[in-house]
Amino acid sequence: MTERYVWDLQEVDETQLAVVGGKGAHLGGLSRIEGIRVPGGFCVTTDAFRRIMAEAPSLDHRLDQLSRLNPDDREAIRTLSAEIRRTIEEIAIPGDLAAAITRALAQLGEQAACAVRSSATAEDLPTASFAGQQDTYLNVVGPTAILQHVSRCWASLFTERAVTYRQRNGIDHRTVHMAVVVQRMVFPHAAGILFTADPVTGNRKVATVDAGFGLGEALVSGLVNPDVFKVRHGEVVAKAIAAKQRAVHALPTGGTQEVAIDPQRQEQPALTDAQAVRLVRLGRRIEAHFGRPQDIEWCLVDGGFQIVQSRPITTLFPIPETGDQENHVYVSVGHGQMMTDPMKPLGLSMWQLTAMVPMHTAGGRLFVDVTRRLASPASRAGLLDVIGRGDPLIRDALETVLDRDDFVPSLPDAGPGGPPAGGASAPIETDPAIVTELIERSQVSIAALERDVRTKTGPALFDFLLEAFEEHKRVLSDPLSMQAIMAGMEATWWLNDTLREWLDEKNAADTLTLSAPDNVTSEMGLALLDVADVIRPHSEVVAFLQGVEDEGFLDELAKLTGGTEARDAIEAYLDRYGMRCVGEIDITRPRWRERPTTLVPVILDNVRNFEPGAAERRFEQGRQKAQKKEQDVLSRLRALPDGDRKADEAKRMIDRVRTFIGYREYPKYGIVSRYFLYKQALLEEAERLVQAGVLPEKEDIFYLTFQELHDVVRSHQVDGRLIQQRKDAFRSYHALTPPRVLTSDGEAVTGAYRRDDVPAGALIGLPVSAGTVEGRARVILDIAEADLEAGDILVTTFTDPSWSPLFVGIAGLVTEVGGQMTHGAVIAREYGLPAVVGVEQATRLIRDGQRIRVHGTDGYVEILP
């Protein structure tokens, strides 16, 4: 096939991305939509770019150097990318290529003013818009200037921003090529941007039009504030007209300049309401063509609209697919499970298959549809009450949706939505033997799974696992287990609410639950202190662990003095807790048993920060503090009118909370123990698929659902393209922030605390563990990066049980996600750490190393000067 350097815009569409880049492909597609006007022009293809790159052999060596640089080494990237740009701009355009461009230009009119725009092959993609990464030049006049600006566009593939963006997103510089779009310049009365979905809330039914006078560059570059129109169902529902003091206009000789706008015109709207509605109608046509919400650049010329660019809006959170046109309200599962990162497809489907309620997926996250429960007054009250105790922001977001009278239908009863969440549970005796029995039942069931799963392979394994999932759900829904969990939670609520009323004391249960028995998660943190005690006396082992990088380090330990004891202590710990890890609800995440190096920094922190016997001392101190608190509360109650009755009631509830609150953590431990057994069996199956040449690598199974993997095992055939698409999608989901509440219109509803009892500038959250502490904030997003000193305050997005080994060494806790009864809150109370959870954007607003004060009783955080 001969190389072709120039295509007319009318000849191209979205299928030719590799030839004309994202912008060119989109413009070609746009020009084919009925009723959409696009300024005429042509594309200089990626063949031309490759030809130019081949003209300078030195570029090859420089690209090698570039790919080896760390994305954070800004100085080196700046220097090297500038050299590459200079080299490209200095390459003389070969005669036949220059002639092809000049011929196409003659079709537009040789002295026509043009816009010259870069169009990279990795740009305006559904998963990465690369918006503003490369350059656009406006009002370029004459062949010489056009050729010079085409060279500049080629070079702009290597701006510092574009290079860094590719390196951070794992995109190879050599796989991206640059085409250039040359279009006839339009001189608009007004211009701007149309978002076919609200870019702030994500609502797909609301379009937003930003408009200003003159060329759109004034808005894109932030020179002026635009007029903003919100359009829904064909009418303007809100607008804000800005004072537009400046505009960008084209100069007759080429180029552009800023001009001041006549004061009488500054407050005039750039569009009429009717024009805004007409523009949105065009936008909806474009959106339908491309099949997803668009960010569209438009110009108003002689009363008609011309479209100069359209790209997907990549920041919107996807909507769960239902296949109906009904309204739906979804609540995030991740915010309740302390895991808001995206999950891989196998992780999502395994959680769906083992969960007690149906779940939907979107953006790599799980959601529960609560529409039916909200529709009936009886179930609505129960749902809002339980959710409000756990996460007030979710409750507030749901109430915001309910306030819109027309969104959630009204039903007379709960319908098939089931009984209200957290309905009254039958009372059980306050008897520690109940907890012992429940733990035993769980252990017996897990031992049977471990014994039987080993004997199954191939399709028989999948049939066995589907039965195992039913047993998994049976254990989880065991009525006695549910009663024990509810008994502990209800006793906590009773103590907090009643002692506040009787003694005017906030969060009394926080101290009363210190060192409660049978809490597998807090025991896990203390047990790692015991491991540190074994290691601390052996300096050779400590020195060795400081340099550990390889997962096989446990075998190496035995060669050192004290190494055998150290290895045995770590192995025993992994036998009990090795199935845990950060984000453990996703079966695909590496477990501690698979990646024991994760624990090494925490063990070393414990060696450094604690004295021998710390675990036992910590537990005993907590127990005594709780006992002292109990005596204090009971004696103060006895001094009140009707004091003996009140003290007896409180004593009954204190015994109840101490009996059952530790068990609250056990069902999750049981789930994760099962998950590890499922995972090991599936990875062994994956190994057989690799051996048979069906899969290139074991971990590829993580990008298939359970059912798809079952099919692959049966057929010995796999769709490699599907796995690659899933990998790309999973990578793109990391850039999305999952909303607490999401509607079927795509609106992300965040919720607010609506409190006015905190100091100005404080960060508001949910008080989950009483006390006030001041210290150095350590913002840690990965447990393996932890480097804590005594007195530090941990600030992170979420903590699941795997973080609890860090809790023994910190003075306080702040998280972005969490509620009264989520794991981090329970363990913070167990260890007596002041904690505030649900602090929106805490890891962005608090800087690592800043001094902060955590008000765990009142639920806010102050950043100190």
Side-chain angles (χ1 to χ4, degrees):
M1 187 183 124
T2 56
E3 290 170 337
R4 185 167 166 197
Y5 297 133
V6 174
W7 291 69
D8 190 277
L9 266 184
Q10 299 280 340
E11 296 179 274
V12 299
D13 63 19
E14 302 87 328
T15 61
Q16 281 134 309
L17 184 98
V19 180
V20 295
K23 202 168 294 173
H26 267 77
L27 283 168
L30 281 167
S31 65
R32 291 163 176 240
I33 305 171
E34 199 178 329
I36 303 297
R37 291 167 59 203
V38 175
F42 59 89
C43 299
V44 181
T45 66
T46 52
D47 282 343
F49 173 76
R50 277 190 287 269
R51 168 102 183 257
I52 288 297
M53 293 295 278
E55 295 279 323
S58 66
L59 285 171
D60 223 32
H61 170 61
R62 288 194 173 130
L63 288 180
D64 282 340
Q65 285 179 285
L66 196 58
S67 61
R68 285 196 292 270
L69 292 179
N70 182 322
D72 296 322
D73 189 348
R74 298 186 53 180
E75 195 50 51
I77 287 177
R78 185 176 302 134
T79 309
L80 193 50
S81 57
E83 276 179 35
I84 294 171
R85 286 198 305 279
R86 203 162 46 244
T87 306
I88 294 171
E89 284 186 41
E90 285 168 1
I91 296 169
I93 298 179
D96 57 333
L97 174 48
I101 295 172
T102 312
R103 267 197 309 277
L105 191 57
Q107 301 284 307
L108 296 180
E110 199 158 279
Q111 291 304 310
C114 292
V116 182
R117 302 169 183 273
S118 340
S119 178
T121 53
E123 183 176 38
D124 296 351
L125 306 179
T127 53
S129 79
F130 289 75
Q133 296 287 330
Q134 281 95 28
D135 294 351
T136 288
Y137 302 98
L138 298 179
N139 203 28
V140 183
V141 180
T144 310
I146 297 273
L147 290 170
Q148 183 188 4
H149 285 86
V150 167
S151 285
R152 283 188 184 165
C153 283
W154 287 329
S156 76
L157 192 61
F158 297 98
T159 61
E160 186 188 342
R161 263 184 71 192
V163 166
T164 306
Y165 187 91
R166 285 196 294 272
Q167 288 190 244
R168 286 197 195 290
N169 284 278
I171 296 165
D172 179 355
H173 301 298
R174 281 193 170 75
T175 60
V176 184
H177 299 119
M178 180 66 85
V180 181
V181 176
V182 179
Q183 265 178 305
R184 183 179 277 118
M185 185 74 194
V186 288
F187 301 100
H189 159 76
I193 299 161
L194 157 63
F195 297 98
T196 63
D198 189 315
V200 178
T201 67
N203 194 325
R204 311 302 203 264
K205 301 265 174 80
V206 176
T208 304
V209 178
D210 288 3
F213 294 122
L215 291 166
E217 290 307 287
L219 306 191
V220 176
S221 62
L223 179 66
V224 295
N225 288 329
D227 296 340
V228 180
F229 299 82
K230 302 253 182 211
V231 178
R232 184 188 175 106
H233 298 318
E235 61 175 320
V236 175
V237 291
K239 66 177 168 183
I241 306 305
K244 299 167 288 296
Q245 292 165 347
R246 309 190 73 69
V248 173
H249 281 249
L251 291 167
T253 53
T256 59
Q257 88 178 126
E258 282 177 37
V259 293
I261 293 177
D262 184 346
Q264 282 82 41
R265 259 184 86 214
Q266 288 179 7
E267 305 275 352
Q268 294 270 313
L271 292 179
T272 65
D273 285 11
Q275 284 172 326
V277 169
R278 198 168 91 224
L279 175 61
V280 169
R281 210 170 295 135
L282 294 175
R284 293 279 174 232
R285 205 176 282 180
I286 294 168
E287 177 182 68
H289 174 83
F290 289 120
R292 60 180 62 234
Q294 298 286 304
D295 157 356
I296 297 165
E297 290 182 30
W298 56 269
C299 295
L300 180 64
V301 190
D302 301 330
F305 287 105
Q306 298 210 24
I307 305 299
V308 293
Q309 195 167 331
S310 182
R311 63 169 76 92
I313 309 176
T314 56
T315 53
L316 298 174
F317 200 86
I319 307 170
E321 286 174 22
T322 54
D324 63 33
Q325 296 303 306
E326 306 290 309
N327 286 351
H328 294 270
V329 183
Y330 302 99
V331 170
S332 161
V333 172
H335 285 79
Q337 287 295 339
M338 299 297 93
M339 162 58 180
T340 51
D341 289 348
M343 293 166 69
K344 297 192 179 97
L346 186 63
L348 292 166
S349 72
M350 293 289 278
W351 194 262
Q352 285 173 303
L353 286 164
T354 51
M356 305 309 296
V357 292
M359 291 184 181
H360 302 263
T361 66
R365 277 76 167 192
L366 292 162
F367 293 88
V368 172
D369 186 343
V370 294
T371 323
R372 295 299 296 250
R373 299 261 283 283
L374 289 174
S376 140
S379 59
R380 179 190 310 151
L383 178 74
L384 291 175
D385 181 50
V386 168
I387 278 181
R389 285 184 184 278
D391 188 331
L393 290 177
I394 294 182
R395 178 182 179 139
D396 186 76
L398 290 174
E399 286 174 336
T400 303
V401 176
L402 286 166
D403 286 344
R404 301 174 193 153
D405 298 334
D406 57 342
F407 195 82
V408 176
S410 256
L411 297 174
D413 56 46
S425 50
I428 52 172
E429 291 302 307
T430 302
D431 179 1
I434 292 174
V435 173
T436 311
E437 185 195 333
L438 283 167
I439 290 174
E440 220 163 86
R441 277 188 207 176
S442 175
Q443 284 171 341
V444 166
S445 173
I446 289 167
L449 171 65
E450 187 167 10
R451 185 187 64 235
D452 298 341
V453 77
R454 288 192 176 134
T455 64
K456 307 286 187 284
T457 61
L461 169 68
F462 289 82
D463 298 335
F464 170 79
L465 285 175
L466 286 169
E467 285 173 32
F469 298 162
E470 292 312 307
E471 165 68 1
H472 180 126
K473 289 197 269 194
R474 189 194 65 71
V475 172
L476 269 188
S477 59
D478 178 341
L480 189 63
S481 177
M482 306 291 261
Q483 287 171 321
I485 292 169
M486 286 313 293
M489 284 168 42
E490 284 164 359
T492 305
W493 297 334
W494 186 94
L495 285 166
N496 280 336
D497 294 348
T498 312
L499 296 181
R500 185 162 190 174
E501 187 189 325
W502 289 347
L503 297 175
D504 195 27
E505 179 157 349
K506 287 182 187 171
N507 302 64
D510 293 0
T511 311
L512 293 166
T513 52
L514 287 172
S515 300
D518 299 312
N519 186 319
V520 69
T521 310
S522 59
E523 285 165 8
M524 176 169 80
L526 296 174
L528 207 58
L529 287 174
D530 291 336
V531 172
D533 284 356
V534 175
I535 289 168
R536 193 178 293 105
H538 305 293
S539 55
E540 207 180 329
V541 172
V542 174
F544 170 75
L545 289 177
Q546 280 162 345
V548 155
E549 284 177 6
D550 182 358
E551 296 302 343
F553 74 93
L554 287 170
D555 297 334
E556 298 294 307
L557 270 177
K559 300 171 189 169
L560 309 174
T561 309
T564 307
E565 297 92 318
R567 186 191 61 195
D568 293 350
I570 296 172
E571 284 284 0
Y573 186 85
L574 290 172
D575 287 344
R576 181 138 167 74
Y577 305 111
M579 76 297 284
R580 309 223 82 150
C581 67
V582 172
E584 61 193 10
I585 71 167
D586 181 353
I587 197 170
T588 72
R589 297 287 277 259
R591 311 282 135 180
W592 290 345
R593 175 47 90 187
E594 297 169 306
R595 201 174 283 176
T597 52
T598 311
L599 291 173
V600 171
V602 193
I603 293 171
L604 290 170
D605 279 350
N606 287 348
V607 166
R608 190 176 68 239
N609 294 334
F610 291 92
E611 296 292 314
E616 204 175 325
R617 272 197 308 281
R618 285 288 294 269
F619 190 78
E620 190 48 35
Q621 281 163 356
R623 208 178 57 74
Q624 286 177 11
K625 224 186 231 178
Q627 217 169 1
K628 198 160 155 258
K629 182 71 174 176
E630 178 182 325
Q631 289 161 356
D632 168 58
V633 163
L634 297 179
S635 67
R636 281 159 62 203
L637 286 174
R638 286 197 186 94
L640 298 175
D642 198 14
D644 285 348
R645 179 189 65 80
K646 287 176 176 165
D648 288 348
E649 261 190 80
K651 170 66 176 151
R652 210 167 49 247
M653 282 301 179
I654 292 168
D655 289 348
R656 198 163 175 77
V657 83
R658 288 194 69 79
T659 300
F660 291 116
I661 201 66
Y663 177 71
R664 158 79 183 78
E665 291 292 297
Y666 202 86
K668 181 82 175 278
Y669 176 76
I671 290 173
V672 177
S673 300
R674 286 172 189 280
Y675 261 35
F676 192 37
L677 295 171
Y678 303 153
K679 180 181 189 178
Q680 286 172 307
L682 291 173
L683 280 175
E684 281 172 26
E685 205 53 50
E687 184 55 50
R688 283 189 276 277
L689 291 171
V690 172
Q691 296 299 327
V694 178
L695 282 179
E697 48 191 60
K698 277 196 309 191
E699 274 77 21
D700 283 352
I701 67 165
F702 297 161
Y703 296 94
L704 298 170
T705 65
F706 180 81
Q707 191 52 56
E708 287 165 349
L709 179 54
H710 191 176
D711 294 341
V712 170
V713 168
R714 261 202 304 255
S715 68
H716 265 219
Q717 288 182 313
V718 71
D719 180 350
R721 274 178 327 200
L722 175 71
I723 289 177
Q724 192 50 53
Q725 280 168 357
R726 297 266 178 84
K727 286 180 178 178
D728 294 343
F730 177 70
R731 202 167 32 234
S732 74
Y733 294 152
H734 282 278
L736 300 174
T737 303
R740 281 177 163 80
V741 170
L742 180 67
T743 73
S744 48
D745 284 353
E747 185 177 0
V749 193
T750 46
Y753 284 107
R754 309 194 190 284
R755 285 172 52 189
D756 50 14
D757 59 343
V758 298
L763 309 179
I764 302 176
L766 187 64
V768 294
S769 185
T772 301
V773 67
E774 205 174 288
R776 176 178 73 153
R778 294 309 317 270
V779 180
I780 295 171
L781 303 179
D782 178 355
I783 191 169
E785 306 293 309
D787 178 18
L788 294 162
E789 288 176 19
D792 283 348
I793 296 168
L794 174 62
V795 180
T796 189
T797 41
F798 57 80
T799 61
D800 55 13
S802 71
W803 287 77
S804 62
L806 291 188
F807 282 25
V808 296
I810 56 175
L813 173 70
V814 179
T815 67
E816 294 181 348
V817 176
Q820 278 287 355
M821 285 296 164
T822 47
H823 303 276
V826 173
I827 307 307
R829 289 195 289 274
E830 283 265 322
Y831 287 167
L833 299 175
V836 180
V837 301
V839 179
E840 287 277 78
Q841 299 200 331
T843 58
R844 293 190 189 109
L845 298 171
I846 299 169
R847 286 199 312 279
D848 187 49
Q850 271 184 324
R851 285 195 71 73
I852 60 172
R853 188 180 296 130
V854 177
H855 295 262
T857 310
D858 295 310
Y860 64 92
V861 179
E862 288 179 284
I863 297 174
L864 303 175

